[in-house]
């Protein structure tokens, strides 16, 4: 089985950091649940303390990116005399996203203990070469939609089958990456969805989901086609036992599908019936769902295992240091940019750069997507681009239904994090790869998503 990276000073348990992160997440949840506005400054202070304590332990590229954003934001704050409001608002804007980061651990822990998932993973490993890519990308899509980054981690042991074949290893890693990244087009459990909903407050997730599913299906088909075209004549993606019968994946896949649907139902019930925000609903649903799942698996045979898993989840909170730091920096930068730019969205609500296009909607859409991917590949986080875009332009002036626009933003989020060498997606996969996150983002993903941008432009033209 592929092991997690070895423990070191950055991954060892850190009680103070664990406590700070737990306090910030708990207070942010209580503030939204019970209207305790006074709890938000305390939660924000705990988050700032967590970032300062853990900053030295994140990777150098992320440190540099965060520092650049902080320095620019401070400069803008001093220039406009709004430094404190920019810093405080940026930190408070990050709190809802922390809830999703914290929830990932509960979902990962519960799914990792599931016999159904183990059976599914073993079945995927025994898939005949040639069909394995489609099966793994589909599994990564479903698991990623339900369990966020944990969905990728749950499939990485399959990579042991191809550890001596770099080309086959790349193909399977791409299957996992592309399946997961396209889940951002519709899943409520990826942080991009929360960012989009905050940028489009008049739109609900269930309004965007049908558009997102349509876009995601097209990307999955494109992944299979691209794999065939690029690797035509290459060796199959990994060995299969001679004369091995086709494994029956349906029982395990159906059980996992039921689990994901139950998780969705619980979360959406909290939103629609309880009136909670998406991030708060996930913060409540994920631990409850995870603990219930663990109880079903271990309550009779090994109840002590439940306590061990729970301790592991809490001890994993310091591992959120990179995502938390980058989101704090990105949100502060976004607030600073918002404070320094005009808010009239141009003349009569028009998009300020509308006159710069070719005049052909499809071509302009495609060029805009490519420009966005180029900026993300340079390391700028999608959250920054989204904040700047919604500050400069009135989304309604684009002529797209807002639910469709939200789904497009969600799809762009997945594409942007896939081509960025500094995103959690590429950094996570680099831990299980013999290459760096830069190779994964720029060589493995950039061509696929640059060509896939044509599909997104087509989908926009068909659905508008």
């Amino acid at each position: 089985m592929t092991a997690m990276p070895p423990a070191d000073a950055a991954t060892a348990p850190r009680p103070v950091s664990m406590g700070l992160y737990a306090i910030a997440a708990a207070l942010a949840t209580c503030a939204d649940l019970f209207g305790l506005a006074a709890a938000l400054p305390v939660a924000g202070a705990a988050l700032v303390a967590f970032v300062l304590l853990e900053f030295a332990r994140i990777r150098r590229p992320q440190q540099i990116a965060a520092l650049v954003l902080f320095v620019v934001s401070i400069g803008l704050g001093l220039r406009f005399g709004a430094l404190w409001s920019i810093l405080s608002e940026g930190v408070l804007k990050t709190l809802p996203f922390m809830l999703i980061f914290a929830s990932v651990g509960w979902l990962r822990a519960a799914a990792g203990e599931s016999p159904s998932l183990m059976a599914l993973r073993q079945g995927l490993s025994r898939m005949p070469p040639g069909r394995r890519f489609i099966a793994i990308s589909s599994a990564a899509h479903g698991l990623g939609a339900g369990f966020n980054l944990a969905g990728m981690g749950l499939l990485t042991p399959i990579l042991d089958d191809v550890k001596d074949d770099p080309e086959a290893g790349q193909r399977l890693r791409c299957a996992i990456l592309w399946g997961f990244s396209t889940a951002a087009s519709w899943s409520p459990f990826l942080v991009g969805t929360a960012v989009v909903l905050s940028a489009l407050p008049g739109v609900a997730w269930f309004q965007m989901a049908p558009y997102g599913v349509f876009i995601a299906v097209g990307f999955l088909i494109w992944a299979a086609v691209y794999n065939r075209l690029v690797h035509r004549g290459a060796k199959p993606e990994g060995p299969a036992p001679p004369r091995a019968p086709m494994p029956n994946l349906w029982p395990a896949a159906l059980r996992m599908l039921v689990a994901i649907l139950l998780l969705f139902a619980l979360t959406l019930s909290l939103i629609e019936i309880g009136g909670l925000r998406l991030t708060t609903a996930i913060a409540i649903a994920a631990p409850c769902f995870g603990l219930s799942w663990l109880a079903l698996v271990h309550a009779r045979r090994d109840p002590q295992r439940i306590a061990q898993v729970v301790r592991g989840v809490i001890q994993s909170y310091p591992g959120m240091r990179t995502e938390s730091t980058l989101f704090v920096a990105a949100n502060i930068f976004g607030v600073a940019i918002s404070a320094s730019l005009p808010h009239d969205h141009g003349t009569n609500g028009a998009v300020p750069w509308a006159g710069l296009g070719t005049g052909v909607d499809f071509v302009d859409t495609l060029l805009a997507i490519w420009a966005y991917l180029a900026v993300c590949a340079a390391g700028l986080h999608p959250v920054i681009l989204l904040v700047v875009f919604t500050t400069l332009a009135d989304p309604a002036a684009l002529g797209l239904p807002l639910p469709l626009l939200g789904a497009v933003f969600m799809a762009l989020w997945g594409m942007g994090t896939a081509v960025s060498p500094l995103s959690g997606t590429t950094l996570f996969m680099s831990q299980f790869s013999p290459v760096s996150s830069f190779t994964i983002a720029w060589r493995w993903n950039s061509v696929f998503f640059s060509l896939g941008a044509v599909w997104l432009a087509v989908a926009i033209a068909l659905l508008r």
Side-chain angles (χ1 to χ4, degrees):
M1 174 180 277
T2 301
M4 290 294 291
D8 54 21
T11 58
R14 299 180 57 79
V16 176
S17 296
M18 284 185 274
L20 288 171
Y21 198 93
I23 289 171
L27 289 178
T29 303
C30 291
D32 192 45
L33 276 176
F34 307 113
L36 300 177
L40 289 176
V42 182
L47 173 58
V48 171
F50 172 82
V51 169
L52 292 175
L53 188 62
E54 293 294 324
F55 186 81
R57 294 173 178 82
I58 67 176
R59 297 184 182 186
R60 187 57 55 84
Q62 285 72 41
Q63 286 181 336
I64 295 173
L67 284 173
V68 169
L69 294 178
F70 283 134
V71 169
V72 173
S73 301
I74 291 172
L76 291 173
L78 292 174
R79 179 181 177 183
F80 292 97
L83 179 59
W84 174 249
S85 63
I86 287 174
L87 294 176
S88 58
E89 185 178 348
V91 171
L92 294 180
K93 279 180 172 289
T94 309
L95 289 175
F97 307 119
M98 281 186 63
L99 303 182
I100 296 183
F101 299 150
S103 301
V104 171
W106 293 98
L107 299 177
R108 178 181 62 242
E113 299 289 312
S114 170
S116 296
L117 178 65
M118 296 178 187
L120 177 62
R121 191 166 59 199
Q122 292 172 359
L124 290 171
S125 298
R126 296 195 300 270
M127 286 287 292
R131 301 183 182 181
R132 192 173 302 175
F133 183 94
I134 297 176
I136 290 178
S137 63
S138 299
H141 185 87
L143 293 174
F147 307 124
N148 205 301
L149 272 177
M152 284 207 303
L154 295 169
L155 293 176
T156 51
I158 295 174
L159 300 174
D160 278 340
D161 296 340
V162 293
K163 59 185 178 182
D164 297 324
D165 189 339
E167 182 178 359
Q170 177 183 337
R171 293 176 69 183
L172 289 191
R173 286 175 174 87
C174 286
I176 296 173
L177 278 166
W178 299 343
F180 170 79
S181 297
T182 55
S185 300
W186 64 274
S187 172
F189 291 96
L190 274 69
V191 70
T193 304
V195 176
V196 172
L197 289 175
S198 67
L200 302 174
V203 181
W205 171 80
F206 66 85
Q207 294 175 301
M208 302 187 298
Y211 295 106
V213 170
F214 179 79
I215 293 170
V217 170
F219 271 120
L220 289 175
I221 295 173
W222 166 236
V225 172
Y226 182 85
N227 177 63
R228 285 285 186 180
L229 292 175
V230 171
H231 298 284
R232 180 180 297 174
K235 292 186 296 182
E237 65 274 9
R243 300 179 182 178
M246 174 73 73
N248 183 9
L249 300 179
W250 285 111
L254 287 175
R255 287 193 291 270
M256 291 304 303
L257 178 61
V258 169
I260 293 173
L261 290 176
L262 289 174
L263 176 60
F264 274 52
L266 175 59
T267 304
L268 295 179
S269 297
L270 291 172
I271 294 172
E272 296 300 319
I273 300 175
L276 301 181
R277 291 194 300 178
L278 175 65
T279 51
T280 305
I282 292 175
I284 295 173
C288 294
F289 182 86
L291 288 171
S292 299
W293 198 350
L294 288 171
L296 287 174
V297 174
H298 293 302
R300 292 185 178 181
R301 297 183 179 180
D302 189 8
Q304 293 182 350
R305 177 60 182 164
I306 299 176
Q308 294 173 355
V309 173
V310 170
R311 283 196 298 270
V313 171
I314 297 174
Q315 290 174 354
S316 72
Y317 285 165
M320 309 295 177
R321 61 179 70 85
T322 300
E323 294 89 344
S324 300
T325 300
L326 288 177
F327 259 73
V328 169
N331 277 295
I332 290 175
F333 181 80
V335 173
I337 291 294
S338 178
S340 62
L341 291 176
H343 289 258
D344 56 3
H345 296 131
T347 303
N348 297 323
V351 180
W353 52 84
L356 301 177
T358 65
V360 181
D361 288 344
F362 180 83
V363 175
D364 290 344
T365 299
L366 188 57
L367 291 175
I369 296 171
W370 282 340
Y372 163 84
L373 292 177
V375 174
C376 289
L380 201 62
H381 200 282
V383 69
I384 303 170
L385 299 178
L386 184 59
V387 169
V388 172
F389 175 82
T390 52
T391 300
L392 285 173
D394 179 6
L398 295 177
L400 297 179
L402 289 183
L404 171 59
L405 183 62
V408 171
F409 283 163
M410 291 164 66
L412 289 173
W413 182 278
M415 298 168 71
T417 55
V419 301
S420 171
L422 305 180
S423 73
T425 302
T426 53
L427 288 171
F428 184 86
M429 182 54 73
S430 69
Q431 298 178 13
F432 304 94
S433 305
V435 297
S436 69
S437 63
F438 291 87
T439 298
I440 293 172
W442 292 346
R443 294 184 59 186
W444 293 7
N445 293 340
S446 61
V447 175
F448 171 78
F449 281 108
S450 294
L451 295 176
V454 176
W455 158 244
L456 183 56
V458 169
I460 294 172
L462 292 174
L463 298 172
R464 65 184 309 159

